[in-house]
Amino acid sequence: MQKFEEAGYTICKVDENPNIYVVNTCTVTNIADRKSRQALRKVKEKNKDLIVVAVGCYAQIAKEKLKTIEEIDIVLGNKEKKDIVQYVENYLEKKNKENTAIKNKNAQNIDEKNAENENEIYVADISKQKDFDEYGLVTYSEKTRATIKIQDGCNNFCSYCLIPYARGRIRSRNKDSIIREVTEISKKGIKEIVLTGIHIASYGKDFEEDYKLIDLLEDLNKIDGIKRIRLGSLEPTIVTQEFASRLSKLEKICNQFHLSLQSGCDETLKRMNRKYTTEEFRKVAEILRKYFKDVNLTTDIIVGFPGETEKEFNNTYKFLKEIAFYKMHIFKYSPREGTVAEKMPNQVDGKTKDERSQKLIELSNKNQEEYNKKYLGKIVEVLFEEEKDGIWSGYTKNYIKVNLKSDENLENQIIDVIPEKENSQIIYARIP
Ligand code: SF4
């Protein structure tokens, strides 16, 4: 968007009759792939002259498939994205020449049908990219919270995941660039930042100097105006006594950690090619609970991974009960073409996945309700974000959502409130 604006284009909605339509595709799940294909196909129904451009992760890994979709004109990989305007303009110039030639009846050598249907593919091998690409950094900034991308790529190659193929190897963003952006954000009055990336635990591993995630957090903690620093999904392997001890000294760090566990059974974890055991994960949870009061641990779990027997699932269930996550995001495994897991034997049937997923959702809801109830009658500090029908909602530092009835404008205010009622995972509070 930014590149088109800089080149003098006007950004408009799809129903405002655009000339160029760009789909930033995603490949995190099969559903994301399907949605990307649907978005690319559908849009030309209304306007046949539209130039349709596919960019992003799904474009990076599925160029052969996208080649067969005739509604698409240009496919660009993640590396080519920054030159999108140039690619589009070259394409337009070429099309104009072809159309003029056809009109002038000088087109004996041009296959008109092919010229209309052929799409152009520019997808470089992303695994060769070594630098963090500053272009296209999008800071999703609401009035109270901004997400800051600090890292890209992954070296882990979990057996079910295509991200390393779509995003390449780990690349960390320059620390000065991050500090500069957060300083600018703080001047706008935003109080909370969320640090994101594909694998933020690996931040700095590609630097020559010894500067890791914890060093960055110590620097960000010094920036005036920012009141809260939240970490996006964190690989459990980074959490050592030393890491947690240094982290706990930073007063702005939110005591909420999303640790992607994926399975609570060692055999399943091994097949997933995850880099830890349940025993190691248990220690991580203990360390975080030791250093952070009221810490809120959340996680992602995949159910129905190939070969997951009833016994393996029961191990997972038992482990999850023991760790007692506040919230678990449950994903039913779905095979991704081109992954190791896709070819594994003993794929689990849909009904079993549904049942296992349901069991874990119930456990997650129960944990959440129990955890929320602990706060009833106690003072908590909430950063309020938005209002609907006279009810303001916001989050505590450990990411508990709290609602408060108020006629005042509470947006971007951090206020002490007392939760007094819990109903189906929703907390209602009052002013003390
Ligand atoms: S850690 Fe595993 S699941 Fe996460 S992005 Fe890397 S390969 Fe994918």
Side-chain angles (χ1 to χ4, degrees):
M1 229 158 77
Q2 182 197 336
K3 285 277 165 179
F4 278 107
E5 272 176 326
E6 281 166 11
Y9 289 78
T10 306
I11 307 299
C12 67
K13 292 187 182 143
V14 68
D15 51 8
E16 290 172 326
N17 211 13
N19 310 98
I20 302 159
Y21 180 73
V22 181
V23 179
N24 196 8
T25 62
C26 173
T27 189
V28 72
T29 59
N30 275 346
I31 296 169
D33 287 359
R34 199 171 59 232
K35 281 189 180 160
S36 298
R37 286 196 300 271
Q38 279 167 354
L40 286 158
R41 274 201 174 108
K42 208 171 65 185
V43 71
K44 251 190 188 172
E45 282 168 10
K46 286 188 191 143
N47 178 1
K48 282 205 164 9
D49 296 326
L50 194 63
I51 307 295
V52 177
V53 190
V55 297
C57 290
Y58 185 57
Q60 180 70 42
I61 59 147
K63 58 180 180 184
E64 292 308 321
K65 210 168 236 168
L66 295 182
K67 217 183 226 176
T68 63
I69 301 180
E70 66 178 61
E71 288 87 348
I72 302 172
D73 298 289
I74 308 170
V75 179
L76 300 179
N78 278 325
K79 211 173 167 199
E80 290 73 18
K81 221 161 50 173
K82 62 178 182 303
D83 299 317
I84 185 167
V85 176
Q86 200 56 54
Y87 281 108
V88 169
E89 290 184 347
N90 288 349
Y91 179 84
L92 284 170
E93 201 183 314
K94 194 176 140 198
K95 282 279 137 186
N96 283 340
K97 275 187 192 156
E98 284 171 5
N99 289 341
T100 312
I102 291 165
K103 266 192 206 148
N104 292 340
K105 300 193 185 335
N106 289 332
Q108 293 92 330
N109 296 326
I110 295 173
D111 179 341
E112 190 177 345
K113 195 167 177 297
N114 273 348
E116 275 174 8
N117 290 342
E118 225 168 56
N119 50 29
E120 303 203 346
I121 314 272
Y122 303 96
V123 179
D125 180 358
I126 193 83
S127 70
K128 304 249 174 358
Q129 183 155 343
K130 292 212 167 61
D131 300 323
F132 182 89
D133 199 345
E134 293 256 341
Y135 160 71
L137 277 178
V138 185
T139 300
Y140 296 96
S141 129
E142 297 145 30
K143 286 182 181 148
T144 57
R145 186 190 303 148
T147 54
I148 314 286
K149 187 171 168 182
I150 62 165
Q151 182 277 340
D152 206 347
C154 180
N155 292 356
N156 270 10
F157 293 94
C158 299
S159 62
Y160 52 86
C161 181
L162 287 173
I163 298 292
Y165 305 98
R167 306 303 290 244
R169 302 298 96 77
I170 54 166
R171 278 111 60 207
S172 307
R173 183 175 170 190
N174 176 286
K175 68 170 178 181
D176 296 330
S177 157
I178 301 172
I179 293 169
R180 206 167 36 243
E181 189 184 7
V182 175
T183 308
E184 275 164 26
I185 278 167
S186 73
K187 286 181 189 152
K188 291 182 187 156
I190 289 172
K191 292 181 176 151
E192 183 173 313
I193 55 164
V194 186
L195 304 184
T196 64
I198 301 290
H199 193 258
I200 64 170
S202 64
Y203 181 82
K205 284 190 179 163
D206 52 328
F207 289 156
E208 274 176 24
E209 64 171 323
D210 186 16
Y211 189 86
K212 301 283 184 318
L213 180 65
I214 190 68
D215 303 299
L216 175 70
L217 293 170
E218 285 171 348
D219 281 340
L220 294 179
N221 195 63
K222 294 177 198 148
I223 298 176
D224 287 340
I226 298 296
K227 304 283 183 216
R228 293 178 173 185
I229 302 172
R230 209 175 278 289
L231 299 177
S233 183
L234 198 63
E235 271 287 294
T237 45
I238 194 177
V239 182
T240 58
Q241 293 279 358
E242 197 220 331
F243 177 85
S245 160
R246 280 173 73 182
L247 198 64
S248 64
K249 294 189 179 78
L250 310 177
E251 75 285 357
K252 295 178 185 176
I253 294 291
C254 293
N255 49 345
Q256 177 241 337
F257 301 99
H258 186 80
L259 303 162
S260 16
L261 171 65
Q262 308 303 0
S263 167
C265 169
D266 287 323
E267 287 78 19
T268 321
L269 284 173
K270 217 173 205 172
R271 289 198 303 280
M272 288 177 165
N273 197 27
R274 300 291 289 177
K275 307 282 187 284
Y276 49 82
T277 62
T278 50
E279 189 46 40
E280 285 159 349
F281 193 96
R282 183 181 283 115
K283 278 202 190 105
V284 164
E286 276 168 19
I287 291 172
L288 289 172
R289 285 185 165 134
K290 174 176 147 196
Y291 283 97
F292 289 89
K293 191 170 169 267
D294 288 334
V295 69
N296 175 349
L297 302 181
T298 55
T299 197
D300 296 326
I301 299 292
I302 298 174
V303 289
F305 191 74
E308 186 189 63
T309 58
E310 201 57 30
K311 187 167 164 256
E312 288 191 7
F313 174 72
N314 288 339
N315 287 345
T316 289
Y317 189 86
K318 215 169 124 211
F319 187 71
L320 296 177
K321 243 182 133 181
E322 179 197 328
I323 301 293
F325 291 99
Y326 174 66
K327 200 175 171 138
M328 301 186 285
H329 301 279
I330 314 298
F331 298 92
K332 290 181 246 178
Y333 170 78
S334 81
R336 310 297 318 277
E337 211 180 310
T339 58
V340 174
E342 183 212 1
K343 294 177 189 72
M344 284 181 180
N346 305 319
Q347 298 280 331
V348 177
D349 65 86
K351 189 169 165 276
T352 308
K353 283 182 203 168
D354 287 346
E355 285 166 4
R356 290 177 185 173
S357 161
Q358 194 47 39
K359 250 183 129 173
L360 295 191
I361 290 171
E362 281 164 22
L363 179 62
S364 175
N365 290 345
K366 193 165 156 275
N367 286 352
Q368 203 176 339
E369 280 173 27
E370 278 173 14
Y371 194 87
N372 284 348
K373 278 186 186 135
K374 287 200 304 194
Y375 291 94
L376 298 183
K378 292 183 187 154
I379 291 182
V380 294
E381 194 189 77
V382 177
L383 170 56
F384 283 98
E385 296 182 357
E386 53 181 14
E387 182 261 356
K388 201 178 167 211
D389 303 328
I391 306 284
W392 281 90
S393 61
Y395 290 87
T396 61
K397 218 170 163 188
N398 61 349
Y399 214 62
I400 309 288
K401 190 172 181 184
V402 176
N403 289 339
L404 176 76
K405 196 168 183 304
S406 176
D407 298 331
E408 287 175 43
N409 182 1
L410 302 182
E411 189 176 85
N412 207 22
Q413 290 194 47
I414 296 179
I415 299 175
D416 281 348
V417 297
I418 299 183
E420 55 177 6
K421 207 167 69 182
E422 203 275 356
N423 193 356
S424 308
Q425 298 112 46
I426 301 171
I427 288 185
Y428 296 90
R430 64 175 168 84
I431 300 280

